[in-house]
Amino acid sequence: MRAIKLPARISAEHTLSLQLPADVPPGMAEVIVLYPETRATGKPQSLEEFMHHLQEADIPRRTKEEIDRDLEEERNSWERDDVRDLPR
């Protein structure tokens, strides 16, 4: 079996027309149609798409220092028990 890759346009009526090379004999053949997917959710499907989405998104970014400060504030807000009261 021989494979041929051809550009094609799908019409509004969902029909497909192809002009095959002259050396393709008449008869039965199988056709595989590949088309770009449209995502209903708009969610990235791969890590690469996700990273690209992050770069394109208008998301406020924090510095390492800001994150470290927020983590320290959170840690300081935890109720701390005296370690001597913990079971051994």
Side-chain angles (χ1 to χ4, degrees):
M1 186 167 267
R2 180 178 156 205
I4 302 171
K5 183 177 179 179
L6 300 169
R9 181 171 302 280
I10 300 171
S11 73
E13 293 79 30
H14 305 281
T15 60
L16 180 66
S17 295
L18 299 171
Q19 180 67 48
L20 298 170
D23 64 334
V24 176
M28 293 299 296
E30 292 181 358
V31 177
I32 298 173
V33 178
L34 301 174
Y35 60 93
E37 292 185 50
T38 56
R39 288 187 221 111
T41 62
K43 294 180 182 177
Q45 299 297 309
S46 68
L47 180 59
E48 184 178 351
E49 287 182 25
F50 177 70
M51 296 304 289
H52 180 73
H53 169 75
L54 283 181
Q55 290 174 348
E56 298 290 319
D58 186 25
I59 300 171
R61 309 274 196 294
R62 295 187 297 167
T63 65
K64 178 189 179 308
E65 291 76 18
E66 290 171 321
I67 294 170
D68 287 343
R69 184 186 66 240
D70 291 345
L71 286 171
E72 184 64 26
E73 288 176 10
E74 181 63 26
R75 285 186 190 111
N76 291 335
S77 73
W78 297 342
E79 182 178 336
R80 299 182 192 269
D81 291 329
D82 191 346
V83 292
R84 291 174 286 176
D85 294 337
L86 294 176
R88 295 181 191 221

